[in-house]
């Protein structure tokens, strides 16, 4: 079931103060989830959540998560800059490497963060870009299918990420020879998975691989990083992940694999942490009846790309009509010149009239941050509903000047309101 923790009055109050569209995030909800996760893993020494910045890269949110004891998982120069600006440093930062420039490895090292290597070739990159640290993390790709019981939950064999087991054996031995004192092991094998068995199954794979690698290479195991991928119930008929039960089940696997303890656990949840605590708020501005019935919103796919990109389901409600019968069937669209710009296709909804306030649920992760500027459409504002029940704009909406800012090298710049650079 999507998150219905906020009454319509909150969205109406926000829309009376700020022009639509905007994403609204609930501070109290985000704090509740961070605390619940800590509780689920409170049995584990040195547990820490490294929030995946890409899910919701707003400094106000990152500072809230810092107050809750979280670190950050960063994967780019700008994400590292955000982490630094929000006061994260040292072991509060995880840098998840990929095919990125050498300078980004060096930047992560300068901040003192953990570097999570994605490939055996990254060992040399790290050696020349910041140096090999005492604690190094590597990403494991077991290949094949990832199964929970008999169900296929992911296809690591087709994923671009991670070392093979043999590469880990060789790579960790090399890292040890280059000065590493201990290692962490990471894997991300399934995305948006609400099955309570996901983390425990992944944990078992990682605990066993990490134990045998430590034994083979003589490099001690410091931590296992369970990464992200825990899902949320976007659809009304979906059960939420029971994170306390997940923590308990991971503990059972942990006790069996590490009877002596001493191994830390890290997570990098993005979607689970903030996804249900965000809503895209828009007005219905158009209504059209042809072969189907269409409702046009003042928001479009640049504000929330997931439906257009993945056909993802996002629940939609209409303020003041939560109890009304869903006796109409609409395609709910934006204004892009792209037929996939639809928030919902043939969705049963109450009757919608122009001026209605429409709420798209579960936009708090991979929502605003996947935004783009197609058709010259601009990114929206982000509003925080603060823990005391107030509202705070934590990012303004883009203006045309923002869109044109990178044309500051063109003769048309002044006419577009941009100050030209002299070169
Ligand atoms: C995207 C990502 C995450 C977060 O994924 P969610 O699905 O939001 O939980 C965590 N770790 C890494 C390395 C990622 O790329």
């Amino acid at each position: 079931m999507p998150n219905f923790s906020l009454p319509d009055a909150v969205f109406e109050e926000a829309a009376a103060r700020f022009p639509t569209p905007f994403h609204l995030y609930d501070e109290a909800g985000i704090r509740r989830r961070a605390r619940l996760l800590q509780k689920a893993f409170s049995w584990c020494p040195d547990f820490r959540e490294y929030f995946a910045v890409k899910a919701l890269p707003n400094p106000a949110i990152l500072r809230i998560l810092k107050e809750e004891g979280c670190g950050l998982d960063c994967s780019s120069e700008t994400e590292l800059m955000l982490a630094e600006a929000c006061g994260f440093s040292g072991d509060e930062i995880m840098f998840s490497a990929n095919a990125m420039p050498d300078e980004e490895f060096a930047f992560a090292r300068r901040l003192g963060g953990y570097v999570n290597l994605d490939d055996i070739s990254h060992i040399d990159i790290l050696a020349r870009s910041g140096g090999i640290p005492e604690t190094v993390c590597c990403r494991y790709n077991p290949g094949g299918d990832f199964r929970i019981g008999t169900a296929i939950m992911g296809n690591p064999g087709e994923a671009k990420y991670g070392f093979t087991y043999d590469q880990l054996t060789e790579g960790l031995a090399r890292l040890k020879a280059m000065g590493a004192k201990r290692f962490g092991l990471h894997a991300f094998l399934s995305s948006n998975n609400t099955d309570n068995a996901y983390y425990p199954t992944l944990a078992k794979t990682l605990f066993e691989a990490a134990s045998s690698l430590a034994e083979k290479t003589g490099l001690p195991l410091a931590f296992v990083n369970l990464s992200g991928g825990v899902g949320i119930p976007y659809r009304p008929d979906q059960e939420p992940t029971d994170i306390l039960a997940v923590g308990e089940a991971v503990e059972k696997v942990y006790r069996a694999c590490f009877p002596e303890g001493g191994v830390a656990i890290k997570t990098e949840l993005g979607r689970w942490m903030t996804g249900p605590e965000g809503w895209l708020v828009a007005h219905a501005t158009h209504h059209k009846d042809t072969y189907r019935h269409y409702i046009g919103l003042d928001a479009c796919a640049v504000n929330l790309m997931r439906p257009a990109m993945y056909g993802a389901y996002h629940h939609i409600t209409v303020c003041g009509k939560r109890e009304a019968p869903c006796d109409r069937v609409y395609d709910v669209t934006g204004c892009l010149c792209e037929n996939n710009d639809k928030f919902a296709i043939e969705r049963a909804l109450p009757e919608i009239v122009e001026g209605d306030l429409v709420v798209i649920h579960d936009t708090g992760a991979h929502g605003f941050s996947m935004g783009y500027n197609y058709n010259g459409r601009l990114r929206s504002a982000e509003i925080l509903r603060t823990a005391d029940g107030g509202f705070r704009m934590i990012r303004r909406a883009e203006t045309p000047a923002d869109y044109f800012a990178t044309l500051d090298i063109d003769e048309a710049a002044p006419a577009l309101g941009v100050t030209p650079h002299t070169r």
Side-chain angles (χ1 to χ4, degrees):
M1 178 72 108
N3 184 359
F4 285 101
S5 61
L6 296 185
D8 284 347
V10 170
F11 301 115
E12 284 162 351
E13 208 185 321
R17 285 195 44 196
F18 306 100
T20 55
F22 54 80
H23 287 266
L24 180 80
Y25 308 120
D26 185 24
E27 175 179 358
I30 292 172
R31 288 188 189 276
R32 271 198 301 275
R33 295 180 81 82
R35 288 172 198 182
L36 199 59
L37 180 67
Q38 306 276 359
K39 189 173 169 204
F41 285 90
S42 56
W43 54 269
C44 182
D46 286 334
F47 169 77
R48 185 176 269 156
E49 152 73 0
Y50 291 78
F51 177 68
V53 175
K54 70 171 192 262
L56 183 45
N58 187 297
I61 304 293
L62 303 182
R63 285 198 196 95
I64 289 168
L65 291 169
K66 186 167 190 340
E67 285 173 13
E68 295 298 334
C70 299
L72 296 184
D73 171 43
C74 306
S75 291
S76 66
E77 180 186 22
T78 48
E79 289 183 359
L80 287 168
M81 290 169 76
L82 271 172
E84 186 177 29
C86 295
F88 292 84
S89 67
D91 65 1
E92 296 167 331
I93 297 174
M94 184 75 66
F95 180 68
S96 293
N98 206 313
M100 57 224 350
D102 287 18
E103 300 80 62
E104 298 187 1
F105 289 76
F107 187 11
R109 289 285 284 123
R110 269 204 310 287
L111 295 179
Y114 292 117
V115 178
N116 183 16
L117 302 178
D118 182 58
D119 184 58
I120 193 158
S121 63
H122 289 175
I123 296 174
D124 290 333
I125 295 177
L126 188 61
R128 66 174 184 250
S129 315
I132 303 294
E134 293 201 340
T135 309
V136 65
C137 188
C138 291
R139 184 164 184 162
Y140 176 37
N141 185 331
D145 295 328
F146 174 71
R147 289 166 194 263
I148 298 178
T150 53
I152 296 179
M153 292 293 190
N155 303 94
E158 293 170 13
K160 67 174 181 172
Y161 305 106
F163 295 57
T164 66
Y165 185 86
D166 289 345
Q167 288 173 335
L168 283 173
T169 315
E170 183 190 335
L172 290 171
R174 279 183 59 204
L175 285 162
K176 186 181 175 205
M178 294 166 94
K181 299 275 185 277
R182 60 196 84 83
F183 76 103
L185 195 67
H186 166 282
F188 188 150
L189 302 184
S190 182
S191 188
N192 189 25
N193 196 323
T194 51
D195 190 328
N196 286 345
Y198 171 54
Y199 254 9
T201 308
L202 171 70
K204 187 160 189 293
T205 302
L206 279 172
F207 293 169
E208 288 173 357
S211 300
S212 80
L213 287 163
E215 203 179 294
K216 271 195 194 146
T217 62
L219 196 61
L221 175 65
F223 64 81
V224 166
N225 184 343
L226 298 176
S227 182
V230 175
I232 58 170
Y234 286 101
R235 292 176 182 272
D237 57 355
Q238 270 182 298
E239 289 288 322
T241 304
D242 179 348
I243 205 74
L244 295 177
V246 168
E248 259 179 57
V250 172
E251 182 182 8
K252 277 210 186 78
V253 186
Y254 182 97
R255 303 271 177 234
C257 287
F258 306 122
E260 321 270 296
V263 176
I265 290 193
K266 325 248 180 229
T267 57
E268 298 170 345
L269 295 174
R271 191 187 314 273
W272 187 88
M273 288 291 284
T274 56
E277 306 301 338
W279 296 262
L280 175 58
V281 181
H283 277 105
T285 51
H286 292 72
H287 175 200
K288 161 171 181 165
D289 298 305
T290 51
Y291 307 103
R292 288 187 187 174
H293 302 291
Y294 293 96
I295 295 295
L297 303 185
D298 57 6
C300 62
V302 308
N303 308 116
L304 179 69
M305 192 187 202
R306 297 186 71 260
M309 188 169 179
Y310 309 120
Y313 182 97
H314 278 266
H315 201 63
I316 294 178
T317 53
V318 185
C319 284
K321 299 185 178 176
R322 281 197 195 186
E323 307 305 325
C326 291
D327 54 4
R328 306 295 158 108
V329 175
Y330 295 117
D331 281 17
V332 180
T333 80
C335 57
L336 294 187
C337 302
E338 258 290 352
N339 194 45
N340 68 359
D341 182 19
K342 294 182 177 180
F343 292 111
I345 294 172
E346 298 191 307
R347 179 81 55 90
L349 285 162
E351 181 180 22
I352 299 176
V353 297
E354 279 124 300
D356 275 351
L357 193 62
V358 172
V359 177
I360 304 178
H361 292 245
D362 303 305
T363 70
H366 314 296
F368 177 93
S369 60
M370 284 179 112
Y372 56 113
N373 279 127
Y374 196 54
N375 258 176
R377 289 291 155 199
L378 305 175
R379 290 178 180 80
S380 77
E382 295 179 290
I383 310 293
L384 184 68
R385 177 173 161 82
T386 53
D388 61 9
F391 295 104
R392 182 153 70 90
M393 188 184 291
I394 56 175
R395 186 193 299 269
R396 66 166 171 80
E398 282 181 341
T399 65
D402 297 314
Y403 179 72
F404 295 132
T406 47
L407 295 174
D408 57 356
I409 38 73
D410 191 90
E411 285 163 22
L416 294 169
V418 180
T419 313
H421 257 301
T422 39
R423 302 215 162 209

